[in-house]
Amino acid sequence: MITRRDDGHEIDTDPDRLDIGLVHHWLSTDTYWALGRTRETVEQSVRASVNFGVYSADGSQAGYARVVTDLATFAWLCDVYVDRDHRGKGLGTWLATAVRDHLAPYALRRVMLATEDAHGVYAKVGFAPFPDPRKLMHMSFTP
């Protein structure tokens, strides 16, 4: 799937087009949720996910997101990142919209995500706080 904007940016779900080295750099050095993540972990997560690359008009990668899903009942949107040089252009909202639109035909029961600081971006495309967070649980294998 390729989606284009009038300014030449595009979103593509082709994992072969991703600059894995750049995605690894972004996630492992400039996010609060994936600091120190290994390249091997990034490569494995890409292989097991639906990937969304954001590209500038010149073809360079400007952002990334991935979705972990069974494409039947559930999806988890994660690792959403827009390069610092490309922020302020609405690319994050556009990326979240593209993910929503890509998943819509599957009629999933729930699409979830976690964020510390981008609630407004995700609210614009339909995300809302979980109605009863007491129902959610998690398990962590890392400190």
Side-chain angles (χ1 to χ4, degrees), residues 23-85:
V23 171
H24 170 250
H25 173 74
W26 287 336
L27 296 177
S28 67
T29 66
D30 196 34
T31 66
Y32 62 83
W33 67 88
L35 286 177
R37 186 178 289 176
T38 67
R39 182 176 172 119
E40 294 76 23
T41 298
V42 171
E43 290 172 354
Q44 183 177 352
S45 68
V46 166
R47 284 192 303 271
S49 301
V50 179
N51 299 278
F52 297 79
V54 180
Y55 303 92
S56 297
D58 68 5
S60 63
Q61 192 165 346
Y64 176 73
R66 69 185 181 94
V67 175
V68 180
T69 184
D70 58 13
L71 295 175
T73 63
F74 180 80
W76 180 266
L77 172 58
C78 53
D79 291 342
V80 180
Y81 186 89
V82 174
D83 184 273
R84 289 185 177 274
D85 292 339

Side-chain angles (χ1 to χ4, degrees), residues 87-100:
R87 293 181 186 171
K89 301 175 184 176
L91 295 177
T93 301
W94 182 51
L95 178 55
T97 301
V99 169
R100 179 200 64 201

